[in-house]
Amino acid sequence: MQRIRLRYTKRGRLRFTSHRDFQRAFERALRRAEVPMAYSAGFTPHPKVSYANAAPTGTGSEAEYLEIALTEARDPEQLRILLDESLPPGLDVVEAVEARTSGLAERLTASVWELRLAGVDPADAERAAEAFNSAGAVEVQRMTKNGLRTFDARPAVAHLETQDERADRPTDRPCAILRLVVRHVTPAVRPDDVLSGLRAVADLAPPVPAAVTRLAQGLFDEETGAVTDPLAPDREAAATEKAPAAVTAAATASV
């Protein structure tokens, strides 16, 4: 059985696609592309697809991940092209690697988010970010299925800063851009929780909903503050396996 790991995006209007909607679209794409999927056992077999830490509905993403299991080996890049062509524009499969290591989900410990705050002066956003970073605790509330829940959003935010957006500002309207790194903790802290925290500590209230995009997710390095590529170990394992094969082939050819 071959396992393939995919990175896909949610762009444009497709950011409003729910995770369940994406699951249905992806399973249709698997059938259109005639992917030889492995199926679960039982009365209602399902294709073996493992989804990892899907972005909330309404947010864009450049870094969503899943893993599929195949009954026949396929070239990852050719499979990526077929699946990408079978999905609507905006749900784009941008990378595929063969799984050669375990624990993809365990390598998704943090996300890098971009928040575009239209109508907010960058100086106001910077002051709010400084207030958030210096706060010992930032209590926010979120409605859950069990009622209103209050929790501290501050410990999950490893990094929060404003970005210089003058080069790509489409109009003269003010627009602040925040970049934040959020650890994946329990309870999960989402970008909208951080926005609630900014409102609580600095009275920052964007006049229109923020445009939120996940730029990356992966393993968080506590020393450097970087979020590493979760597919890198699979690429490195593949390269290590190919190197001895290439040496053996060269030696055989020279005999």
Side-chain angles (χ1 to χ4, degrees):
M1 182 182 296
Q2 183 187 37
R3 295 179 297 127
I4 301 291
R5 289 169 176 167
L6 305 172
R7 178 168 69 91
Y8 67 95
T9 70
K10 288 174 61 180
R11 296 168 173 161
R13 291 184 298 174
L14 272 298
R15 69 185 185 277
F16 296 107
T17 303
S18 70
H19 183 53
R20 183 169 295 181
D21 290 336
F22 173 77
Q23 287 178 309
R24 287 193 287 262
F26 185 69
E27 290 188 12
R28 286 196 295 268
L30 290 171
R31 292 193 292 272
R32 290 194 193 100
E34 299 181 346
V35 178
M37 290 296 298
Y39 280 78
S40 61
F43 292 105
T44 55
H46 296 285
K48 288 189 175 181
V49 183
S50 300
Y51 299 94
N53 195 40
T57 302
T59 63
S61 180
E62 295 295 314
E64 300 297 287
Y65 294 92
L66 59 81
E67 180 179 300
I68 59 177
L70 311 183
T71 56
E72 300 174 12
R74 290 290 186 270
D75 177 72
E77 179 58 18
Q78 291 301 316
L79 182 64
R80 183 200 70 77
I81 293 171
L82 288 171
L83 287 172
D84 187 51
E85 291 174 345
S86 300
L87 285 166
L91 297 177
D92 304 316
V93 182
V94 295
E95 192 170 5
V97 300
E98 184 171 1
R100 297 174 181 269
T101 61
S102 61
L104 174 63
E106 285 76 15
R107 295 202 290 268
L108 303 179
T109 62
S111 289
V112 182
W113 295 94
E114 180 186 89
L115 283 62
R116 299 184 71 93
L117 311 179
V120 174
D121 188 275
D124 293 335
E126 186 171 2
R127 284 191 290 269
E130 290 173 355
F132 187 100
N133 288 329
S134 61
V138 180
E139 289 196 345
V140 299
Q141 293 184 323
R142 184 199 302 156
M143 183 60 69
T144 70
K145 61 182 180 180
N146 296 320
L148 194 64
R149 181 171 187 173
T150 301
F151 58 95
D152 182 8
R154 180 64 190 88
V157 180
H159 187 73
L160 171 62
E161 66 176 5
T162 57
Q163 298 289 300
D164 184 2
E165 46 69 54
R166 287 173 292 180
D168 65 350
R169 184 187 296 179
T171 68
D172 291 333
R173 287 191 62 199
C175 178
I177 298 178
L178 295 175
R179 183 75 58 87
L180 60 148
V181 177
V182 181
R183 298 181 182 89
H184 298 167
V185 297
T186 302
V189 173
R190 306 171 186 166
D192 56 333
D193 297 320
V194 177
L195 288 171
S196 296
L198 291 170
R199 184 166 56 248
V201 299
D203 199 28
L204 185 73
V208 296
V212 180
T213 303
R214 173 149 58 191
L215 302 179
Q217 64 171 322
L219 191 65
F220 181 67
D221 188 323
E222 293 286 350
E223 292 186 3
T224 65
V227 175
T228 61
D229 182 356
L231 300 184
D234 296 300
R235 291 194 214 92
E236 293 168 2
T240 301
E241 289 180 14
K242 288 178 181 178
V247 171
T248 301
T252 304
S254 64
V255 173

